[in-house]
Amino acid sequence: MSEEFNYFRDRNIGKLFDLVLQVSNELHVTHQRLHAMEALLVRHGVLSAGELSALEPTEEEQRILDEQRDRVIARLMRIVTESGPAEHPLRDQWESTLQKTG
């Protein structure tokens, strides 16, 4: 990172900000593509307008959605609460996960 763009005076904060911007961009692209897919499904008569937003999942579908959400939150919290030196963050967690699956 060049000094002229070093707004935060901390290289790690700059990297984190770059990461957040990249993830935000990926989320935006995914949102746009999902919207386009829904629009095409409506145009081709597969869905009616608003049908996707009005969907009420079955108990099983909701259970799966909840499990997926919980896994994503757990991964994010693991990153936030990681331990170990910067050279190998999450090493303790990684080794623990490998032992559970091995």
Side-chain angles (χ1 to χ4, degrees):
M1 176 182 300
S2 72
E3 286 301 313
E4 84 179 89
F5 298 112
N6 189 4
Y7 302 114
F8 302 106
R9 306 288 182 244
D10 183 326
R11 185 174 180 84
N12 290 327
I13 292 174
K15 284 182 172 184
L16 180 60
F17 186 69
D18 289 346
L19 176 68
V20 169
L21 287 177
Q22 182 63 38
V23 170
S24 297
N25 187 55
E26 292 293 326
L27 181 59
H28 172 72
V29 169
T30 301
H31 182 267
Q32 294 258 321
R33 292 181 63 84
L34 181 61
H35 178 76
M37 184 182 299
E38 183 179 359
L40 285 172
L41 290 170
V42 169
R43 285 182 198 173
H44 291 280
V46 177
L47 292 174
S48 60
E51 187 175 354
L52 186 60
S53 296
L55 175 69
E56 292 189 28
T58 65
E59 285 185 29
E60 177 64 12
E61 291 167 340
Q62 188 62 56
R63 183 188 64 75
I64 292 168
L65 291 170
D66 291 346
E67 287 175 359
Q68 290 172 341
R69 179 204 59 222
D70 292 347
R71 281 194 302 272
V72 168
I73 290 173
R75 285 194 309 265
L76 293 174
M77 290 307 296
R78 195 173 108 203
I79 292 168
V80 170
T81 61
E82 71 185 7
S83 62
E87 298 83 44
H88 49 79
L90 293 174
R91 177 172 281 173
D92 296 338
Q93 292 85 342
W94 175 252
E95 289 173 355
S96 173
T97 301
L98 288 178
Q99 290 173 358
K100 289 178 189 173
T101 61

